[in-house]
Structures are given as structure tokens and as C-alpha cells.
């Protein structure tokens, strides 16, 4: 399943990430991780003290990748609206859900301060990153005065995460698309006439 060039710790972390996403913490047993990674029990416990230690490494990796993926879109130099639009419309496996967002619904992760920390930190980072972009747009006259960057950022994150839930419930990515396009319509209404694209 994995490249022969991937080290055993990497295989174990990647396997745990996939299994946490698919099965949750309780459903991800050490035996399932070992089988998925093609690693023996001794090898697993040589690199990690146990399942919680490995799960923490996997959750941190998932959080890091989510930040990197978001920053690749949000970190551009274009208008604020365009960067937010690119973020919410970027290609996703909508029906699988957000790997970080789904961890918030895992009671075993949320009940453990150490496992929950990377999840909370990542969602906080995303809200702050989006708020900074909205604030930048306000400062440059792209959005109408009075727009609250923190409120907009929280709305963007809530819409994306809620869109995953709607899509999974409906069994169709269309529900996600409808949610984020509704959000963009509201945000577009807050653009100043000078920044909005001219009608064709």
C-alpha cells in the first residue's frame, strides 16, 4: 500500500491518520494500524509508546496538512474576496468530510486535552487567518465599512464545516456547493462598488 521508501514510523502515522478519519479513535485499534501499515507490534512500540502517542502524531500531521493546504490558497496576493472564494471552492473530497473537522465529533479525541489541542489550534488558526484577510480587504476599501472580520471568518469556517455535514447527510457534494455559494453571495454583497467586477 505504501512506498517501500517510506519509513516504518511514517507508515504507522499515515495509517493511523487514515483509520482515524474512517473509523474514529475507538475503532482504530493498534492491530488495525499495524496491519494497515504492514508493521509488526514490536516495530510499532519501538517508535511509539502506544496508541495515544501514535494518534497524537497522526492528528498533528493531519492538522499540519490542513494548514498547509489552506495557506496555499489563502496566502496569495490577490483581492481578499478572491482568496476566500478560492478557499471555499477548492477541490475537496466532500463526502469524506474534513479530516480535522470530523475529529471534533469524536468523543474520545475531544475528551483528551492533548489529542484535542491540535484540532482546536488549527481551527483557531484558520479563523484568524481568514479574519486577517477580511481585515486586509476592509483596509483596502474592498469591503464596506463596518464588516466584522472575526464574525465573517467564523461564518466561513462554520459554513465549510457545516457544508460537509449537509453533503454527507444528502449523499451529494451539491449540498456543500450550495452552502458555500450562498456564503459567497452574502460576502459579495458586502463588497464596495469599486471592488466588485463590472457586469458583462
Amino acid at each position: 500500500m505504501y512506498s517501500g521508501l517510506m519509513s516504518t514510523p511514517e507508515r504507522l502515522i499515515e495509517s493511523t491518520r487514515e483509520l482515524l478519519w474512517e473509523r474514529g479513535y475507538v475503532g482504530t485499534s493498534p492491530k488495525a494500524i499495524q496491519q494497515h501499515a504492514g508493521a509488526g507490534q514490536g516495530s510499532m512500540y519501538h517508535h511509539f509508546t502506544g496508541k495515544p502517542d501514535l494518534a497524537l502524531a497522526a492528528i498533528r500531521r493531519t492538522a499540519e496538512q490542513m494548514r498547509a493546504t489552506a495557506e496555499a490558497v489563502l496566502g496569495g496576493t490577490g483581492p481578499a474576496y478572491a482568496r476566500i472564494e478560492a478557499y471555499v471552492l477548492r477541490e475537496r473530497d466532500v463526502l469524506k468530510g474534513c479530516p480535522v473537522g470530523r475529529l471534533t465529533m469524536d468523543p474520545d479525541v475531544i475528551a483528551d486535552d492533548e489529542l484535542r489541542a491540535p484540532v482546536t489550534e488549527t481551527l483557531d488558526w484558520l479563523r484568524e487567518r481568514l479574519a486577517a484577510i477580511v481585515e486586509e480587504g476592509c483596509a483596502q476599501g474592498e469591503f464596506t465599512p463596518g464588516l466584522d472580520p472575526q464574525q465573517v471568518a467564523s461564518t466561513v469556517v462554520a459554513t465549510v464545516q457545516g457544508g460537509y455535514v449537509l453533503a454527507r447527510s444528502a449523499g451529494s457534494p451539491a449540498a456543500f456547493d450550495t452552502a458555500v455559494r450562498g456564503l459567497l453571495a452574502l460576502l459579495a454583497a458586502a463588497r464596495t462598488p469599486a471592488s466588485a467586477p463590472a457586469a458583462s
Side-chain angles (χ1 to χ4, degrees):
M1 183 171 188
Y2 294 111
S3 165
L5 299 176
M6 188 180 287
S7 68
T8 299
E10 284 295 305
R11 295 201 313 273
L12 288 165
I13 290 171
E14 289 302 314
S15 293
T16 305
R17 290 181 64 224
E18 292 179 28
L19 292 170
L20 284 174
W21 195 357
E22 294 170 4
R23 307 180 184 182
Y25 186 83
V26 169
T28 301
S29 67
K31 184 176 181 179
I33 295 169
Q34 293 158 24
Q35 290 177 342
H36 196 278
Q41 181 177 349
S43 179
M44 175 176 167
Y45 288 100
H46 173 73
H47 296 289
F48 300 94
T49 58
K51 176 181 167 180
D53 183 36
L54 181 49
L56 179 59
I59 291 170
R60 283 175 174 163
R61 175 73 58 80
T62 295
E64 289 166 5
Q65 290 198 0
M66 179 175 170
R67 289 191 191 201
T69 300
E71 184 59 29
V73 180
L74 297 172
T77 57
Y81 177 87
R83 287 151 66 193
I84 295 170
E85 178 183 45
Y87 169 70
V88 301
L89 295 180
R90 73 170 180 79
E91 186 175 346
R92 292 172 165 86
D93 190 347
V94 174
L95 295 181
K96 284 192 72 175
C98 172
V100 171
R102 286 186 67 179
L103 290 168
T104 66
M105 295 180 278
D106 190 317
D108 294 278
V109 172
I110 295 305
D112 186 302
D113 290 343
E114 196 170 20
L115 294 178
R116 186 179 70 248
V119 177
T120 302
E121 290 164 6
T122 298
L123 292 174
D124 286 347
W125 171 86
L126 182 57
R127 282 197 301 271
E128 290 303 317
R129 189 70 183 89
L130 287 162
I133 292 171
V134 175
E135 187 172 359
E136 178 186 317
C138 291
Q140 294 178 352
E142 184 180 343
F143 296 122
T144 53
L147 197 66
D148 187 310
Q150 292 290 339
Q151 290 179 358
V152 173
S154 290
T155 301
V156 172
V157 175
T159 301
V160 170
Q161 292 300 322
Y164 283 118
V165 173
L166 292 173
R168 285 171 61 81
S169 174
S172 169
F176 180 95
D177 190 60
T178 299
V180 298
R181 289 192 182 280
L183 168 70
L184 290 173
L186 293 173
L187 191 57
R191 299 174 79 184
T192 60
S195 68
S200 55

